[in-house]
Amino acid sequence: MAGKALLDIKGVETYYGNIRALNGVDVSVDEGEIVALIGANGAGKSTLMMTIFGTPRARSGSIVFNGTDITQMPTHEIARLRIAQSPEGRRIFPRMTVMENLQMGASLDNLKYYDEDVEKVFHLFPRLKERIGQRGGTLSGGEQQMLSIGRALMARPKLLLLDEPSLGLAPLIVKQIFDAIRELNRTQGLTVFLVEQNAFGALKLATRGYVMVNGNVTMSGSGAELLANPEIRAAYLEGGRH
Ligand SMILES: Nc1ncnc2c1ncn2[C@@H]1O[C@H](COP(=O)(O)OP(=O)(O)OP(=O)(O)O)[C@@H](O)[C@H]1O
Ligand SMILES: [Mg+2]
């Protein structure tokens, strides 16, 4: 494994009221990697993504990003550290245009790169350029996902967190989204941590993967190792989704 850990999560426990959703999770993501987290509905995948941003907050354990302990850092400060996310359900601004949504993703520190960054997003997702003045809420599901990723990229992240980018999308669009993630990683060295129910696609894309069951990481390995693992095949790849 090359590089140092850009994100290092150790022993994280997160609760909703008295209910523990994460039971001491260890996950690390090295610089330049694409790491996938797979698991069934309710396993705690989104909770882990949100805990990285401090909402909800880890009750114990530690989260270190790029050498800084962010476990107790306020969410708005974490966002300034060049971690960006495309959350579950995309959460674009439905009444704003494509362009305005992208503007919302840009941070004041990066205004001098604004035009260049918008061009990069349009290069990655030409479809968005065609829809530049259209309101977010009227975009197709796939276009909304592209916009959600594009908006996150406007923050010039070192680490991009993606929660279920393929959810509900047709196979051709899923391929476009995964190709774009691979391209960002390959050409810009962007580090990506993604949550997916599409275990097959995610493990093919990822350098490494983790499997989460009931708030615990139960397995980890290279994408290829996990794809070949009989237990994983039985639990998550039955029927061989492509
Ligand atoms: N705001 C909340 N309040 C109370 N419980 C919650 C809340 N959000 C999530 N949970 C619970 O925490 C557990 C983990 O949920 P989480 O959304 O992290 O799962 P997930 O792995 O992302 O599932 P999915 O694949 O369906 O998105 C579930 O049992 C869920 O019901
Ligand atoms: Mg989820």
Side-chain angles (χ1 to χ4, degrees):
M1 253 171 274
K4 59 175 181 155
L6 184 61
L7 178 69
D8 202 6
I9 300 170
K10 282 210 176 83
V12 161
E13 296 189 351
T14 300
Y15 288 73
Y16 294 110
N18 290 326
I19 310 221
R20 191 165 62 178
L22 299 179
N23 304 324
V25 169
D26 296 338
V27 163
S28 74
V29 180
D30 284 351
E31 227 168 314
E33 282 192 305
I34 301 177
V35 172
L37 177 67
I38 63 169
N41 289 121
K45 306 180 300 295
S46 296
T47 300
L48 181 61
M49 285 296 188
M50 295 187 296
T51 301
I52 294 168
F53 266 85
T55 319
R57 185 121 348 243
R59 203 176 280 185
S60 61
S62 69
I63 305 173
V64 175
F65 172 70
N66 205 17
T68 303
D69 190 326
I70 62 170
T71 323
Q72 299 301 331
M73 195 179 270
T75 294
H76 66 275
E77 286 182 26
I78 296 173
R80 289 223 301 263
L81 293 180
R82 298 182 64 193
I83 310 182
Q85 66 172 334
S86 163
E88 191 171 14
R90 289 141 202 169
R91 310 267 172 83
I92 54 153
F93 301 106
R95 291 166 168 278
M96 291 187 181
T97 65
V98 164
M99 197 64 187
E100 288 163 348
N101 268 276
L102 293 178
Q103 281 165 9
M104 296 302 287
S107 79
L108 289 175
D109 306 340
N110 295 329
L111 283 186
K112 63 171 177 288
Y113 302 113
Y114 180 77
D115 291 336
E116 182 187 328
D117 290 349
V118 168
E119 273 316 307
K120 276 192 199 161
V121 170
F122 288 157
H123 178 75
L124 193 66
F125 298 121
R127 187 84 75 91
L128 289 182
K129 190 168 188 175
E130 296 163 18
R131 302 275 188 284
I132 195 164
Q134 191 171 327
R135 284 175 194 244
T138 64
L139 296 172
S140 72
E143 290 160 356
Q144 290 190 15
Q145 185 59 56
M146 293 171 193
L147 182 56
S148 179
I149 294 174
R151 189 180 61 188
L153 292 173
M154 290 300 292
R156 307 200 129 219
K158 278 178 82 73
L159 174 66
L160 178 63
L161 305 178
L162 301 172
D163 194 342
E164 309 236 19
S166 80
L167 189 70
L169 305 182
L172 188 65
I173 305 291
V174 172
K175 184 176 180 311
Q176 283 175 18
I177 301 271
F178 282 5
D179 284 350
I181 296 168
R182 189 179 288 114
E183 166 97 0
L184 284 166
N185 174 260
R186 200 172 49 83
T187 62
Q188 297 176 36
L190 181 68
T191 309
V192 179
F193 182 38
L194 84 158
V195 163
E196 262 299 336
Q197 294 232 16
N198 177 353
F200 185 81
L203 293 175
K204 268 204 340 190
L205 176 67
T207 334
R208 286 188 307 118
Y210 290 88
V211 181
M212 187 175 265
V213 178
N214 290 332
N216 296 295
V217 168
T218 56
M219 240 184 275
S220 65
S222 72
E225 274 164 13
L226 293 176
L227 271 176
N229 182 300
E231 273 178 68
I232 307 264
R233 296 191 77 84
Y236 304 104
L237 303 172
E238 205 77 302
R241 282 180 62 183
H242 288 263

